[in-house]
Structures are given as structure tokens and as C-alpha cells.
Amino acid sequence: MPALLSTQVKNWPRFLAVQHSRYASMAVNVSRDQTAPVKPFKDIPGPGGLYRWPVIGTMLHFKPFTEYNAETIRGLFDSLHKRYGTILKVRLGEMTVMTSDPKDFETVFRNEGRWPVRPPVDIDVVYIKRNNLKENLASVQGEAWQKLRTPMNKRLMKADSAHHYIEAQNVVADEFVHILSTKELDAEEMADYFFRYASESIGVVTFNTRLGFFNKSDGGESDEFLHASKEQFRIINDTFSGKSVLYKLFRDKTYRRYEKAMNVIIKHADKHTSKAKESIQSKLADGSLHPDDPNLLFSLMAEKSLTTEDISFLATSLYSGGTDSTARNLQSFFHILAMNPDKQELLRAEALDIVGKDRPLTAKNLTAMPYLKACVKECFRINYPTASGTFRYLPTDVVLSGYTVPAGVPIVLQNPIACMEHFENPGQFLPERWLRTPDRRKQENIVNMVLLPFSYGPRNCPGQRFALQEIYLAAVKVLQKLKIDLLPESRDVQFGHRTFIHPMNSIKFKFTKL
């Protein structure tokens, strides 16, 4: 089962206690009518009896006792909410509260504190400890997290942060389209190229260079780097699904595979970071480096609080986070466009009208393409990128859906369920619902906090603007040249989650030149 629902870190109670003391003078925060009576935590509905036992209670929710496994855990969440309602508590490692009420989402984010706490990936924590490495952005908590995140925010969270890289990423997208239009690819090869596109695109940002992932005949360092990146996510998914738990106790096969993959990733990341640093220092020496050039590494190097190791780990974290997730979401987006050819044609018309048949996509173009952004949002709503929404440990007691939830209890926000419950015709792909009328009103009254594919607040996804830009680029470039279709056997493909959204069967796309 997913680690995000089973991780227990020994120092969290102490950290949360410190956080809680900062909130002690505050009243309990509520998401409901404050005049309504508040019910105690013990009354929150959910599976009882053996289902509340440690270990056993968790196991009973999955195969062979039910039809669900890690890949289909979204179905488990759906079934639990249908049975118990908007809010419930369930034994998933720890006794966990899950809510699908957007008002509760707001309450959680209002009370997550200055340093939001979310669980890291267990096997990554073990790897860092065994190799005496500094904690990275995904695993660190508290003030140490803020120290790492703040320098990244300066460069990554501005509204135009991704636009600085759009020229270089246009070239990557053009190569991707050329491959799709000229090569005979089976489903697995095509999925591989989606991963290569995402990895090459984010590499332009994190390492300020092309990594050469489209050159499959290379067979050298670039392939080693790419395959290690894929292996990292395969192993994380294995640990999520419970295929290995012994890695915490000794260096079993799963751990050794992960360590090998991470060592390769860090080796290449260090190499590319060093090369970029040498290039920056050379340009500084001859006066050819412009401070406004798109150069993430340069901006991080200017931060006196960051060590060389910090910078390399930040680049590695951003790179890793932008590979598999972007590739899977792009596959999902192309699949939904193929299933809705009328919407695909409307999007193509917008792309050709704004960008033309051959011109590059620019930042100015993007601001004039509301239908493109609406299509991506609607895809996220139907095919939510993750099996659940944000996971938080709060430093203060809150009231969710009329029940007290004590500080430190894990809370999972069920945005995927809310995205089905708070929209008209939820099963239909209707990008128009996100568009605004001439007087700036949305065509559908959309509830706040429902769609949060990149989370929200201080600990949201730092690479979200780049992930979206890469999806926009690929979509526009493909639609300029190709029609997206599916072979019959892929029309009814179902999506599960292996860390991120994932087709249960390989998608057989058909790209036809216009």
C-alpha cells in the first residue's frame, strides 16, 4: 500500500509538539457552522473491529481480502467514502482521517503551519541515512525544509518562471513531434519516448543543458542516467505496494536496486551541476553572463546559505519530480483528447489561430490560449494525477465536517472524489466549464480548493509551472502537425496509480499527419 499512508517517522511527534505549542493559544479551527455541536474524534465513522487493529487492519483492505492493490487504491478510497460518507477514519498504517469536503480542505491548509509536515518516501529516507547524505527537499521537515525551499521559490514560483525556458523547451518539443511523426513505435516504445521528452525538458531547467535522451543509439551515459531515473520510480512503487518492507531492516534486493539507481542519478546530477558551474564561472570571468538569463543553478549558487551539496540535491529533486509525473500526465492528456475528437479539434483550432502551423509557442501565446489551459485542468479533474490529494500532519487541533481531529493525526484530502462530486456531468470531458464569459464569470460555479493537482500552500509542488509548460508545449506542437487517435484496444484503457497516474494497459496511440 502507498507509503504516504503507512510512513511513521519517529521525530514527527516531537516536531509536531513544538509546532502545537505555537498554536496553543488559538481556538480550535472549524470548517463548519461554529454554532453546531462538535463531535469527538472517536465518533468519526469508518471500518471497525479487526479493521482497526495495527498491521492486520491495513492488510484487510487489500488483496487477497479485497479486489484492491496499490495500483487500484483510488477504488478503495471511493468505496470507503460511498459507505461512510464525506469524512471517515481508517487504519492505513496509522489511524488516518480522510475527507472529501472542500471546506475541510480549506481548514487543513489554513492550519498547516509555517512548516507543513508531509511524510517522505520511506526508502529514500533509509538511503539518505545509510549513505550519510544531507536530507533533500522531499525528506526534510521544519526550519531545515524552509532553508532549502526559499531559494527555489525565488526562481521557480514566480508567474513567469517557466517562461524563461520556453525557447529551449520548444526545441525539445519539436524533436518529440518529429519522433512521433516519423517512427513506427509500439505502445511500450511510445511510452518510453513520453518519459524521454519529460526528462529532456526538465533537464534543460535543472542542469541548463541538453541531456541527449532522444538519442537512443547513444547507449552510454545518457541512457544510464535515464534508466536509473526509471528504476527509481519502479522501486518506489514496489515499496508502496508492499512488495518489500525488509529494506528498513537490512540491505535487501529492493534496497540494493534503489541504492544503485540513486547513486547513478546523483553521479550524473553532480557531473552536470559541476559542468554548469564551470560554465557560469567562465562567463562571469569574461563578463558574458547576464543575470536575467534562465539559469536556475546560477541563482542557487548566489545563495550563500546553500552548499554545493545542497544545490546538487535541489537540482536532483526537481529533475526527478519532473520526469515520471509529467510523462504520465501527458499520456493521460493525449488519451482524453483522442477520446474526445470534437474537443481536440477545438483545441487545434485555438493552437493554429494563435501559434500557426510552424511557429514556436511563446509566453505571449500562452496567455492567449484559455482553451488549452481549460483542457488540461479538465483532464486533471477526470484523471487526477495522484490517487488522493494532499497529505498533512497538522500542528493544531481542527474540526473537520463537525468532528474534532487532534493535532498529529494524519489527514488525507480526497480531491479526486471531490472532483467527481462537485461538478455537473462529472464523467464528461467538458473543458468549457473552466472558461470565463465576456464579463469574467466562470461558465460553471466551481467550488474552491477542489482541483489541486500540485497541492497548495508553502509545500506545494515547486516544479508545477514547468510541468504545465511542458504539457502545453507538447500538446500545441503535436496538434500543429498531427491528429491524435487510438487503436481500438486502447479506447477503454483504465488508469490506476503507480506513485502517479498510470495506464493499466499500454496505450496504443495513432498519430496521423494532418
Side-chain angles (χ1 to χ4, degrees), residues 179-379:
I179 290 167
L180 296 180
S181 61
T182 59
K183 291 182 179 290
E184 290 290 333
L185 303 171
D186 62 29
E188 292 300 325
E189 289 173 324
M190 200 167 288
D192 178 54
Y193 272 112
F194 276 86
F195 190 88
R196 288 172 184 268
Y197 165 73
S199 302
E200 189 76 14
S201 293
I202 195 61
V204 169
V205 179
T206 54
F207 305 118
N208 209 42
T209 188
R210 290 293 300 273
L211 299 175
F213 290 147
F214 284 143
N215 184 12
K216 275 193 166 187
S217 62
D218 180 351
E221 290 190 349
S222 63
D223 265 6
E224 182 185 48
F225 192 11
L226 187 85
H227 292 151
S229 300
K230 285 187 173 183
E231 179 77 344
Q232 175 193 17
F233 283 99
R234 279 195 292 263
I235 298 166
I236 288 173
N237 186 67
D238 284 348
T239 62
F240 281 6
S241 64
K243 291 182 180 179
S244 172
V245 294
L246 297 179
Y247 67 84
K248 297 180 183 180
L249 302 177
F250 63 93
R251 296 172 184 261
D252 67 350
K253 183 179 179 181
T254 297
Y255 175 79
R256 293 196 303 273
R257 285 172 54 208
Y258 188 79
E259 185 173 65
K260 181 179 178 181
M262 287 304 301
N263 287 346
V264 169
I265 291 170
I266 291 173
K267 178 186 75 172
H268 285 280
D270 286 347
K271 182 191 75 172
H272 289 299
T273 303
S274 296
K275 281 186 177 180
K277 186 176 181 180
E278 290 172 8
S279 175
I280 291 167
Q281 290 172 335
S282 176
K283 289 181 178 181
L284 280 171
D286 62 23
S288 62
L289 182 67
H290 194 281
D292 292 330
D293 286 345
N295 197 318
L296 174 65
L297 290 176
F298 174 66
S299 65
L300 293 178
M301 286 168 54
E303 294 289 337
K304 295 181 180 180
S305 63
L306 297 178
T307 65
T308 300
E309 186 181 14
D310 289 334
I311 294 169
S312 182
F313 265 102
L314 286 172
T316 305
S317 296
L318 184 61
Y319 165 78
S320 295
T323 55
D324 193 61
S325 58
T326 304
R328 300 304 181 192
N329 284 316
L330 186 57
Q331 278 186 291
S332 168
F333 186 43
F334 279 13
H335 183 270
I336 210 163
L337 288 178
M339 291 292 291
N340 295 273
D342 56 331
K343 307 302 182 185
Q344 181 182 159
E345 289 306 315
L346 287 173
L347 180 53
R348 190 191 322 281
E350 181 184 71
L352 294 178
D353 180 50
I354 301 298
V355 186
K357 293 183 178 180
D358 299 292
R359 295 196 304 271
L361 181 64
T362 65
K364 185 177 180 180
N365 293 152
L366 271 178
T367 62
M369 300 186 71
Y371 198 68
L372 170 63
K373 297 173 183 178
C375 283
V376 173
K377 283 183 178 180
E378 183 70 348
C379 177

Side-chain angles (χ1 to χ4, degrees), residues 140-169:
V140 73
Q141 307 288 355
E143 218 170 345
W145 163 79
Q146 187 181 46
K147 179 183 175 183
L148 286 177
R149 178 66 187 254
T150 300
M152 294 192 77
N153 285 349
K154 294 177 183 178
R155 178 63 76 166
L156 300 183
M157 299 310 294
K158 293 179 180 179
D160 64 346
S161 57
H163 295 167
H164 296 295
Y165 299 87
I166 199 168
E167 183 177 347
Q169 290 184 327

Side-chain angles (χ1 to χ4, degrees), residues 456-467:
Y456 181 83
R459 199 147 189 170
N460 63 1
C461 173
Q464 59 182 286
R465 298 187 189 280
F466 298 92

